[in-house]
């Protein structure tokens, strides 16, 4: 009887391990690797999977796969946007079985936003319009706009529960309040629901820093911003606010929030929790002058109706910090980069250590490395109490692309820049039930070093393979696993993932991304569907 119980227990353990593995369900035919512009995979409600490559030079390539992951349609179209400065993708999402793409750039010192509507079945462009333009940059104020920095005049967010979306326009390209910030709210058919300007009722604050917003169906849009005064160089004093736009009103209702009090909030991210019916606001902040420095990550629960007071919670990753000290003898310095809301109302926060390193060669121009170090995943219950914590030692260096706050979440809402192979040096993650899966590329030798707390960055992308971690309550430092098996033949290239282009199929629980591969004739990439 005891022997039988042990056998049953062993079989159950094997079932759990097998169930948790990330395996390949399907993959597309091989096609040419995208190396420039922007890339994005979008899983649609009808079961189709769409891969888009968008370039200023060549226009838009659209590849559509059906519900069985077979090639269905393909198109290549030029568009109205061109080889202009400051070009970037502001948002990509599905609406009424179409693909909606927002692209911005600077035309004669004037920020311009385009809206493209692509047929989700054929890939053809149905509408290509110049939607809005803002005031020009001063001639001497903006002499050069780097190719990879986004135009900071337009922000688009879609409601994940409906077809509605909203646009924020900063008309004056500065932080002044009066007549600067405009909110436009759209239905899924792209008809305007309402619009309003931010009206500065609190004359104590002359500047505004837009942070993020959430669209709540056809009920309201909730915009978060930090209003402040620049009291002296490097010092600001201000207040976090929520500005709400209702469908029956053409004015913004302003609420002052007791989150991040006596702090300067530099950036933020907002998500709606459908279980608690509250907004999750998470941000980066630093202390006002004269106050002691504390952990820069802040978070709070906000009732969009304003009936209950907001609740600030502590999101300092204490367990991850303890584990990092035990492994490497130093503190964990990671900041929030993304947040996943679970079906039970709990949530998981992804933390990443990011630093900038300026290099000044003797005989050439200086450049900046973005150093991407350790990751941490912390799971919280519906009330914001920590449940489990995981740490992933790693190291990567980006030379051609500088990472901004909440970059991984914002890339997931827009598109991945394809810049000199830097798209292979990031990571991708998704929430599946109560676990978080994290994928990244490296060599097996480097992954072994990282497991000992000594992360090493790879040199050549073609030498790497895709790996993944499963973050749950079973292990504070999860083990890495190869996605496509270990490459034992040193003469063959590996199978790394193209990070950031991925999407997640909630219905089937599938992670969809690109992987580098080859056949007997040439090398390229495939769309790959992975199942936990």
């Amino acid at each position: 009887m005891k022997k039988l119980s042990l056998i049953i227990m062993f079989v159950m353990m094997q079932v759990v391990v097998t169930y948790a593995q990330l395996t390949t369900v399907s993959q597309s035919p091989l096609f040419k690797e995208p190396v420039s512009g922007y890339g994005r995979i979008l899983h649609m409600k009808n079961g189709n999977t769409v891969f888009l490559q968008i370039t200023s030079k060549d226009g838009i390539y659209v590849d559509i796969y059906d519900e069985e992951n077979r090639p269905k349609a393909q198109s290549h179209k030029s568009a109205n946007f061109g080889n202009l400065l400051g070009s970037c993708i502001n948002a990509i999402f599905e609406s009424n079985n179409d693909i909606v793409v927002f692209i911005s750039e600077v035309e004669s010192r004037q920020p311009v936003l385009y809206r493209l509507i692509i047929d989700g079945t054929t890939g053809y462009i149905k509408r290509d319009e110049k939607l809005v333009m803002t005031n020009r940059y001063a001639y001497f104020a903006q002499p050069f706009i780097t190719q990879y920095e986004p135009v900071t005049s337009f922000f688009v967010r879609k409601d994940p529960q409906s077809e509605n979306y909203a646009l924020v326009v900063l008309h004056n390209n500065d932080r002044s309040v009066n007549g600067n910030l405009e909110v436009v709210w759209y239905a899924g058919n792209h008809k305007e629901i309402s619009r309003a300007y931010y009206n500065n009722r609190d004359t104590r604050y002359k500047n505004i820093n837009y942070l993020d917003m959430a669209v709540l169906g056809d009920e309201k849009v909730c915009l978060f911003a930090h209003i402040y005064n620049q009291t002296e160089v490097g010092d600001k004093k201000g207040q976090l606010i929520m500005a709400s736009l209702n469908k029956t009103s053409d004015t913004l209702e302003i609420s002052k929030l007791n989150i991040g009090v006596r702090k300067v909030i530099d950036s933020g991210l907002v998500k709606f929790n459908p279980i608690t019916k509250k907004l999750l606001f998470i941000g980066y902040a630093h202390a006002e002058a004269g106050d002691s420095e504390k952990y820069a990550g802040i978070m709070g629960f906000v009732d969009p109706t304003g009936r209950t007071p907001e609740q600030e919670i502590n999101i300092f990753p204490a367990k991850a910090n303890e584990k990092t000290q035990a492994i490497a003898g130093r503190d964990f310095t990671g900041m929030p980069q993304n947040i996943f809301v679970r079906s039970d109302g709990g949530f998981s926060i992804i933390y990443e250590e990011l630093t900038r390193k300026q290099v000044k060669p003797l005989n050439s121009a200086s450049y900046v490395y973005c150093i991407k170090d350790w990751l941490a995943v912390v799971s919280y219950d519906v009330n914001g109490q920590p449940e489990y914590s995981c740490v992933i030692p790693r190291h990567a260096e980006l030379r051609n692309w500088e990472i901004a706050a909440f970059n991984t979440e914002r890339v997931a809402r827009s598109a991945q820049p394809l810049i000199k192979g830097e798209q292979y040096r990031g990571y991708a993650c998704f929430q599946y039930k109560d676990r978080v899966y994290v994928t990244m590329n490296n060599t097996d030798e480097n992954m072994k070093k990282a497991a000992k707390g000594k992360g090493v960055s790879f040199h050549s992308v073609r030498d790497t393979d895709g790996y993944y971690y499963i973050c749950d309550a079973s292990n504070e430092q999860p083990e890495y696993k190869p996605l496509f098996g270990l490459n034992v033949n040193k003469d063959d290239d590996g199978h790394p993932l193209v990070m950031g282009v991925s999407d997640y199929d909630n219905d089937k629980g599938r992670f969809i991304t690109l992987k580098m591969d080859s056949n007997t004739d040439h090398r390229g990439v495939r769309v790959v569907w992975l199942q936990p």
Side-chain angles (χ1 to χ4, degrees), residues 405-434:
F406 302 108
N407 181 77
T408 56
E409 202 281 339
R410 286 172 176 161
V411 164
R413 290 191 294 200
S414 54
Q416 169 71 54
L418 307 173
I419 308 171
K420 299 181 180 179
E422 302 286 54
Q423 60 269 22
Y424 292 95
R425 297 184 183 274
Y427 67 95
C429 51
F430 63 94
Q431 176 91 45
Y432 180 75
K433 297 185 177 180
D434 61 341

Side-chain angles (χ1 to χ4, degrees), residues 181-288:
L181 190 151
E182 182 184 15
V183 185
V184 190
W185 186 7
Y186 295 96
N189 59 3
H190 314 293
K191 299 294 184 181
E192 186 178 309
I193 298 174
S194 181
R195 71 168 61 206
Y197 277 89
Y198 173 74
N199 184 17
N200 182 24
R201 298 174 184 174
D202 194 335
T203 57
R204 293 177 301 169
Y205 303 113
K206 302 184 186 311
N207 304 286
I208 185 168
N209 180 23
Y210 165 78
L211 299 172
D212 199 11
M213 65 177 162
V215 181
L216 307 182
D218 60 357
E219 293 301 317
K220 65 170 53 180
V221 177
C222 295
L223 180 150
F224 285 70
H226 185 250
I227 53 176
Y228 65 93
N229 274 338
Q230 188 83 38
T231 56
E232 58 183 80
V233 177
D235 184 22
K236 301 175 183 177
K237 291 185 181 296
Q239 169 75 49
L240 178 65
I241 63 168
M242 180 177 70
S244 301
L245 176 62
N246 297 299
K247 59 183 177 181
T248 57
S249 175
D250 59 356
T251 60
L252 291 170
E253 179 182 345
I254 309 300
S255 303
K256 294 182 178 179
L257 304 178
N258 291 317
I259 299 173
V261 177
R262 295 185 64 84
K263 288 186 176 181
V264 179
I265 303 175
D266 304 300
S267 57
L269 175 67
V270 181
K271 287 200 176 182
F272 181 67
N273 190 331
I275 303 302
T276 63
K277 307 299 181 185
K278 291 186 177 181
L279 296 167
L280 306 181
F281 173 79
I282 187 168
Y284 293 8
H286 63 270
E288 294 179 350

Side-chain angles (χ1 to χ4, degrees), residues 348 377-379 386-390 431 434-436 471-473:
S348 300
V377 177
V378 182
S379 176
E387 293 181 320
Y388 67 80
S389 175
C390 295
Q431 176 91 45
D434 61 341
R435 302 187 294 274
V436 174
C471 299
D472 55 23

